[in-house]
Amino acid sequence: MKSSWSSLRKLAAAMAVSAVVMLGFANGAHAAYGNVTKTSVVDPSILKIEEMKYLGEKADYDFVLQDETGADFKLGSMTGKPLVLAFSYYTCDGACSVINKNLAETLKGVERWKIGQDYNVLTVSFDQNDTPATLANFMKEAGFADGLPDGWKMTTMLKKEDILKLTGSMGFKFFWSPRDAMFLHPNVYIMLSPKGRVTRYLYGGTITPTDMELAITKAKGGEIAAANVIDFVVGACYSYNYKDGKYSINIPLFVAAGALIFGLTLIVGSFSYMKFRRVKHES
Protein backbone atom coordinates (compact mmCIF):
# COMPACT_ATOMS: atom_id res chain seq x y z
CA MET A 1 0.00 0.00 0.00
CA LYS A 2 2.80 2.35 0.94
CA SER A 3 4.59 1.54 -2.31
CA SER A 4 1.43 2.24 -4.33
CA TRP A 5 0.92 5.59 -2.55
CA SER A 6 4.51 6.56 -3.35
CA SER A 7 4.02 5.65 -7.01
CA LEU A 8 0.83 7.72 -7.15
CA ARG A 9 2.63 10.72 -5.65
CA LYS A 10 5.40 10.44 -8.25
CA LEU A 11 2.84 10.15 -11.05
CA ALA A 12 0.95 13.20 -9.78
CA ALA A 13 4.18 15.19 -9.57
CA ALA A 14 5.12 14.23 -13.12
CA MET A 15 1.68 15.23 -14.38
CA ALA A 16 1.93 18.57 -12.58
CA VAL A 17 5.31 19.31 -14.18
CA SER A 18 3.90 18.37 -17.59
CA ALA A 19 0.92 20.67 -17.07
CA VAL A 20 3.18 23.57 -16.10
CA VAL A 21 5.35 22.98 -19.15
CA MET A 22 2.38 22.88 -21.49
CA LEU A 23 0.61 25.90 -20.07
CA GLY A 24 3.67 28.03 -19.50
CA PHE A 25 5.02 28.13 -23.03
CA ALA A 26 3.86 30.11 -26.03
CA ASN A 27 5.87 28.45 -28.80
CA GLY A 28 9.18 28.26 -26.95
CA ALA A 29 11.60 30.40 -25.03
CA HIS A 30 14.25 33.12 -25.25
CA ALA A 31 14.43 35.24 -28.38
CA ALA A 32 15.27 32.20 -30.42
CA TYR A 33 12.40 30.05 -29.23
CA GLY A 34 9.41 32.39 -28.98
CA ASN A 35 8.10 34.38 -26.03
CA VAL A 36 7.75 33.42 -22.37
CA THR A 37 6.18 35.90 -19.98
CA LYS A 38 8.43 37.41 -17.33
CA THR A 39 6.28 35.84 -14.62
CA SER A 40 6.74 32.35 -16.05
CA VAL A 41 8.65 29.89 -13.89
CA VAL A 42 9.02 27.34 -16.67
CA ASP A 43 12.55 26.41 -17.68
CA PRO A 44 12.79 27.45 -21.37
CA SER A 45 15.36 24.73 -22.03
CA ILE A 46 12.49 22.21 -22.19
CA LEU A 47 11.95 23.05 -25.86
CA LYS A 48 15.50 24.08 -26.62
CA ILE A 49 17.19 22.11 -29.38
CA GLU A 50 20.49 20.55 -28.33
CA GLU A 51 22.22 21.87 -31.40
CA MET A 52 25.68 20.45 -30.76
CA LYS A 53 24.15 16.98 -30.46
CA TYR A 54 22.39 17.09 -33.83
CA LEU A 55 24.63 19.25 -36.02
CA GLY A 56 26.26 17.01 -38.58
CA GLU A 57 23.67 14.26 -38.20
CA LYS A 58 22.31 12.83 -41.43
CA ALA A 59 18.55 12.91 -41.93
CA ASP A 60 16.64 9.81 -42.97
CA TYR A 61 15.38 10.50 -46.49
CA ASP A 62 13.15 7.42 -46.85
CA PHE A 63 10.11 9.14 -45.33
CA VAL A 64 7.09 9.43 -47.62
CA LEU A 65 5.39 12.84 -47.74
CA GLN A 66 2.17 14.15 -49.32
CA ASP A 67 1.65 17.58 -50.83
CA GLU A 68 -1.59 19.58 -50.86
CA THR A 69 -2.88 17.57 -53.83
CA GLY A 70 -2.34 14.26 -52.02
CA ALA A 71 0.57 13.28 -54.29
CA ASP A 72 3.22 11.12 -52.60
CA PHE A 73 6.95 11.70 -52.82
CA LYS A 74 10.01 10.77 -50.79
CA LEU A 75 11.95 13.25 -48.75
CA GLY A 76 15.02 12.01 -50.60
CA SER A 77 13.74 13.58 -53.82
CA MET A 78 14.81 16.95 -52.43
CA THR A 79 18.47 16.02 -51.90
CA GLY A 80 21.34 17.30 -54.01
CA LYS A 81 20.87 20.93 -52.92
CA PRO A 82 20.80 22.69 -49.56
CA LEU A 83 17.36 22.31 -47.98
CA VAL A 84 15.62 24.77 -45.65
CA LEU A 85 13.29 22.66 -43.47
CA ALA A 86 10.48 24.14 -41.35
CA PHE A 87 8.21 22.12 -39.05
CA SER A 88 4.67 23.48 -38.67
CA TYR A 89 1.10 22.31 -38.17
CA TYR A 90 -1.76 23.37 -40.38
CA THR A 91 -4.61 24.11 -37.96
CA CYS A 92 -2.39 26.74 -36.33
CA ASP A 93 -3.66 30.29 -36.80
CA GLY A 94 -0.66 31.96 -35.20
CA ALA A 95 3.06 31.23 -35.22
CA CYS A 96 3.07 28.59 -37.97
CA SER A 97 1.54 30.85 -40.60
CA VAL A 98 3.83 33.67 -39.45
CA ILE A 99 6.99 31.57 -39.62
CA ASN A 100 6.18 30.50 -43.18
CA LYS A 101 5.24 34.05 -44.25
CA ASN A 102 8.43 35.39 -42.68
CA LEU A 103 10.45 32.73 -44.44
CA ALA A 104 8.96 33.76 -47.78
CA GLU A 105 9.81 37.42 -47.10
CA THR A 106 13.32 36.54 -45.92
CA LEU A 107 14.02 34.47 -49.01
CA LYS A 108 13.04 37.41 -51.23
CA GLY A 109 16.06 39.21 -49.82
CA VAL A 110 18.47 36.35 -50.59
CA GLU A 111 20.12 37.61 -53.78
CA ARG A 112 23.11 35.29 -54.19
CA TRP A 113 21.13 32.03 -54.32
CA LYS A 114 17.87 31.26 -56.16
CA ILE A 115 15.19 29.01 -54.67
CA GLY A 116 14.60 25.88 -56.75
CA GLN A 117 17.86 26.43 -58.58
CA ASP A 118 20.44 26.60 -55.79
CA TYR A 119 18.42 25.36 -52.79
CA ASN A 120 15.02 23.94 -51.88
CA VAL A 121 12.52 24.65 -49.09
CA LEU A 122 10.29 22.15 -47.31
CA THR A 123 7.55 22.66 -44.72
CA VAL A 124 6.46 19.47 -42.94
CA SER A 125 3.55 19.08 -40.51
CA PHE A 126 4.25 17.43 -37.16
CA ASP A 127 0.51 17.09 -36.39
CA GLN A 128 -0.71 13.54 -37.03
CA ASN A 129 -4.22 14.90 -37.67
CA ASP A 130 -3.14 17.06 -40.59
CA THR A 131 -4.17 15.98 -44.07
CA PRO A 132 -3.73 17.36 -47.59
CA ALA A 133 -7.07 19.13 -47.00
CA THR A 134 -5.90 20.99 -43.88
CA LEU A 135 -2.65 21.76 -45.71
CA ALA A 136 -4.52 23.28 -48.65
CA ASN A 137 -6.57 25.43 -46.28
CA PHE A 138 -3.42 26.50 -44.40
CA MET A 139 -1.78 27.60 -47.64
CA LYS A 140 -4.83 29.71 -48.44
CA GLU A 141 -4.96 31.32 -45.01
CA ALA A 142 -1.20 31.88 -44.86
CA GLY A 143 -1.11 33.79 -48.12
CA PHE A 144 -0.02 30.99 -50.46
CA ALA A 145 -3.35 30.56 -52.25
CA ASP A 146 -1.63 31.12 -55.61
CA GLY A 147 0.86 28.37 -54.86
CA LEU A 148 4.45 28.17 -53.69
CA PRO A 149 7.62 29.21 -55.48
CA ASP A 150 9.35 26.48 -57.50
CA GLY A 151 11.55 24.55 -55.11
CA TRP A 152 9.26 24.91 -52.06
CA LYS A 153 6.89 22.18 -50.92
CA MET A 154 4.43 22.07 -48.00
CA THR A 155 3.61 18.54 -46.90
CA THR A 156 2.08 16.12 -44.44
CA MET A 157 3.57 12.71 -43.60
CA LEU A 158 1.95 9.64 -45.09
CA LYS A 159 2.81 7.40 -42.11
CA LYS A 160 1.87 9.21 -38.92
CA GLU A 161 4.27 7.08 -36.83
CA ASP A 162 7.16 8.60 -38.81
CA ILE A 163 6.53 12.08 -37.41
CA LEU A 164 8.39 11.46 -34.15
CA LYS A 165 11.18 9.69 -36.01
CA LEU A 166 11.81 12.66 -38.27
CA THR A 167 11.42 15.41 -35.66
CA GLY A 168 13.37 13.41 -33.08
CA SER A 169 16.26 12.86 -35.46
CA MET A 170 16.77 16.63 -35.53
CA GLY A 171 16.05 17.41 -31.88
CA PHE A 172 12.78 19.20 -32.63
CA LYS A 173 10.40 18.99 -29.63
CA PHE A 174 6.72 19.88 -29.42
CA PHE A 175 3.90 19.56 -26.88
CA TRP A 176 0.13 19.80 -27.05
CA SER A 177 -1.55 22.23 -24.63
CA PRO A 178 -5.16 21.10 -24.04
CA ARG A 179 -6.07 24.36 -22.29
CA ASP A 180 -4.92 26.54 -25.18
CA ALA A 181 -5.74 23.96 -27.86
CA MET A 182 -2.38 24.52 -29.52
CA PHE A 183 1.05 23.00 -29.95
CA LEU A 184 4.03 24.56 -28.21
CA HIS A 185 7.18 24.31 -30.30
CA PRO A 186 10.33 26.18 -31.34
CA ASN A 187 10.01 28.42 -34.39
CA VAL A 188 13.07 27.20 -36.25
CA TYR A 189 14.39 26.68 -39.75
CA ILE A 190 16.70 23.69 -40.06
CA MET A 191 19.35 23.88 -42.77
CA LEU A 192 20.43 20.61 -44.40
CA SER A 193 23.40 20.08 -46.70
CA PRO A 194 23.04 18.60 -50.21
CA LYS A 195 23.91 15.22 -48.65
CA GLY A 196 21.21 15.59 -46.00
CA ARG A 197 23.26 16.53 -42.95
CA VAL A 198 22.07 19.13 -40.44
CA THR A 199 24.31 22.17 -40.81
CA ARG A 200 22.47 24.96 -38.96
CA TYR A 201 19.43 25.95 -36.90
CA LEU A 202 18.05 29.44 -37.60
CA TYR A 203 15.32 30.83 -35.35
CA GLY A 204 12.33 32.51 -36.97
CA GLY A 205 12.19 35.72 -34.97
CA THR A 206 15.81 36.72 -35.45
CA ILE A 207 17.10 35.86 -38.91
CA THR A 208 17.78 38.25 -41.77
CA PRO A 209 18.26 37.58 -45.50
CA THR A 210 22.00 37.79 -44.86
CA ASP A 211 21.76 35.07 -42.19
CA MET A 212 19.85 32.84 -44.60
CA GLU A 213 22.22 33.53 -47.47
CA LEU A 214 25.22 32.67 -45.32
CA ALA A 215 23.52 29.51 -44.02
CA ILE A 216 22.90 28.35 -47.60
CA THR A 217 26.49 29.18 -48.54
CA LYS A 218 27.81 27.21 -45.57
CA ALA A 219 25.49 24.28 -46.36
CA LYS A 220 26.81 24.08 -49.92
CA GLY A 221 30.18 23.42 -48.26
CA GLY A 222 32.56 21.40 -50.34
CA GLU A 223 30.40 21.80 -53.43
CA ILE A 224 31.61 25.39 -53.90
CA ALA A 225 33.64 25.28 -57.12
CA ALA A 226 36.84 27.18 -57.79
CA ALA A 227 34.89 29.62 -59.94
CA ASN A 228 32.81 30.47 -56.88
CA VAL A 229 35.73 30.83 -54.50
CA ILE A 230 34.35 34.24 -53.50
CA ASP A 231 31.42 32.43 -51.85
CA PHE A 232 33.86 30.39 -49.81
CA VAL A 233 35.69 33.52 -48.73
CA VAL A 234 32.43 35.27 -47.79
CA GLY A 235 31.30 32.22 -45.83
CA ALA A 236 34.61 32.06 -43.97
CA CYS A 237 34.32 35.71 -42.97
CA TYR A 238 31.24 34.97 -40.86
CA SER A 239 30.71 32.61 -37.96
CA TYR A 240 27.49 31.53 -36.25
CA ASN A 241 26.81 33.04 -32.81
CA TYR A 242 24.88 30.41 -30.83
CA LYS A 243 23.93 32.89 -28.09
CA ASP A 244 22.25 35.34 -30.47
CA GLY A 245 21.17 32.79 -33.07
CA LYS A 246 22.69 34.90 -35.87
CA TYR A 247 25.79 35.14 -38.03
CA SER A 248 28.43 37.68 -37.11
CA ILE A 249 31.78 38.82 -38.46
CA ASN A 250 34.49 36.27 -37.75
CA ILE A 251 36.71 38.58 -35.65
CA PRO A 252 39.45 35.99 -34.96
CA LEU A 253 39.80 35.41 -38.70
CA PHE A 254 40.31 39.12 -39.34
CA VAL A 255 42.78 39.37 -36.46
CA ALA A 256 44.73 36.42 -37.85
CA ALA A 257 44.59 37.88 -41.36
CA GLY A 258 45.76 41.23 -40.03
CA ALA A 259 48.64 39.59 -38.19
CA LEU A 260 49.61 37.66 -41.33
CA ILE A 261 49.52 40.78 -43.50
CA PHE A 262 51.56 42.70 -40.90
CA GLY A 263 54.12 39.89 -40.77
CA LEU A 264 54.41 39.69 -44.54
CA THR A 265 54.71 43.47 -44.78
CA LEU A 266 57.46 43.43 -42.16
CA ILE A 267 59.37 40.70 -44.02
CA VAL A 268 59.02 42.38 -47.41
CA GLY A 269 59.89 45.76 -45.91
CA SER A 270 63.00 44.38 -44.20
CA PHE A 271 64.10 42.63 -47.38
CA SER A 272 63.59 45.81 -49.42
CA TYR A 273 65.50 47.88 -46.86
CA MET A 274 68.44 45.46 -46.79
CA LYS A 275 68.53 45.40 -50.59
CA PHE A 276 68.45 49.21 -50.67
CA ARG A 277 71.37 49.44 -48.20
CA ARG A 278 73.37 46.88 -50.17
CA VAL A 279 72.89 48.77 -53.44
CA LYS A 280 73.77 52.05 -51.75
CA HIS A 281 76.90 50.56 -50.15
CA GLU A 282 78.10 49.08 -53.46
CA SER A 283 77.62 52.39 -55.25
Side-chain angles (χ1 to χ4, degrees), residues 21-62:
V21 169
M22 288 183 177
L23 299 177
F25 278 105
N27 291 333
H30 193 58
Y33 295 91
N35 298 314
V36 175
T37 61
K38 294 182 179 179
T39 57
S40 173
V41 295
V42 179
D43 183 357
S45 65
I46 296 288
L47 288 178
K48 186 174 182 179
I49 296 172
E50 299 176 64
E51 294 188 28
M52 301 311 297
K53 179 179 178 180
Y54 294 97
L55 285 171
E57 290 297 310
K58 189 171 184 179
D60 186 343
Y61 272 71
D62 288 332

Side-chain angles (χ1 to χ4, degrees), residues 209-256:
T210 299
D211 291 322
M212 184 60 73
E213 188 168 305
L214 286 167
I216 295 170
T217 301
K218 298 272 190 177
K220 291 178 81 71
E223 292 204 350
I224 297 177
N228 294 325
V229 68
I230 186 64
D231 297 318
F232 175 79
V233 173
V234 170
C237 290
Y238 290 83
S239 60
Y240 189 75
N241 186 317
Y242 288 94
K243 181 178 179 181
D244 298 331
K246 296 171 69 70
Y247 280 94
S248 57
I249 295 293
N250 193 340
I251 300 299
L253 178 65
F254 280 95
V255 172

Side-chain angles (χ1 to χ4, degrees), residues 6-265:
S6 176
S7 297
L8 285 173
R9 288 179 61 189
K10 291 180 179 179
L11 179 59
M15 291 177 67
V17 170
S18 298
V20 170
V21 169
M22 288 183 177
L23 299 177
F25 278 105
N27 291 333
H30 193 58
Y33 295 91
N35 298 314
V36 175
T37 61
K38 294 182 179 179
T39 57
S40 173
V41 295
V42 179
D43 183 357
S45 65
I46 296 288
L47 288 178
K48 186 174 182 179
I49 296 172
E50 299 176 64
E51 294 188 28
M52 301 311 297
K53 179 179 178 180
Y54 294 97
L55 285 171
E57 290 297 310
K58 189 171 184 179
D60 186 343
Y61 272 71
D62 288 332
F63 295 114
V64 180
L65 307 173
Q66 289 184 312
D67 63 20
E68 75 280 5
T69 68
D72 298 351
F73 68 95
K74 280 195 174 183
L75 183 56
S77 66
M78 303 194 78
T79 56
K81 300 174 183 176
L83 177 66
V84 183
L85 173 62
F87 287 114
S88 301
Y89 71 103
Y90 302 135
T91 55
C92 174
D93 58 0
C96 290
S97 59
V98 171
I99 194 173
N100 283 279
K101 286 180 180 178
N102 286 351
L103 179 57
E105 289 301 313
T106 299
L107 294 178
K108 289 179 182 178
V110 176
E111 298 179 352
R112 178 63 186 89
W113 308 114
K114 302 301 180 183
I115 184 172
Q117 178 179 321
D118 300 305
Y119 67 96
N120 292 319
V121 181
L122 177 65
T123 301
V124 180
S125 171
F126 56 80
D127 184 355
Q128 63 178 355
N129 296 309
D130 270 326
T131 64
T134 61
L135 166 54
N137 185 65
F138 175 82
M139 289 179 61
K140 179 180 178 181
E141 297 297 327
F144 299 99
D146 295 331
L148 294 161
D150 290 338
W152 188 344
K153 288 182 178 290
M154 287 190 179
T155 67
T156 57
M157 298 200 74
L158 182 61
K159 297 180 180 179
K160 305 306 181 184
E161 62 269 23
D162 285 343
I163 292 175
L164 291 179
K165 293 180 183 177
L166 180 59
T167 56
S169 69
M170 300 180 189
F172 182 90
K173 304 171 187 176
F174 57 94
F175 303 91
W176 175 256
S177 170
R179 174 181 173 180
D180 301 311
M182 63 183 292
F183 279 105
L184 310 175
H185 60 93
N187 295 329
V188 62
Y189 309 119
I190 303 174
M191 182 65 65
L192 302 175
S193 74
K195 293 184 178 181
R197 296 192 181 277
V198 177
T199 61
R200 184 63 62 229
Y201 293 91
L202 297 171
Y203 298 95
T206 63
I207 68 164
T208 65
T210 299
D211 291 322
M212 184 60 73
E213 188 168 305
L214 286 167
I216 295 170
T217 301
K218 298 272 190 177
K220 291 178 81 71
E223 292 204 350
I224 297 177
N228 294 325
V229 68
I230 186 64
D231 297 318
F232 175 79
V233 173
V234 170
C237 290
Y238 290 83
S239 60
Y240 189 75
N241 186 317
Y242 288 94
K243 181 178 179 181
D244 298 331
K246 296 171 69 70
Y247 280 94
S248 57
I249 295 293
N250 193 340
I251 300 299
L253 178 65
F254 280 95
V255 172
L260 177 62
I261 293 172
F262 175 76
L264 290 174
T265 302

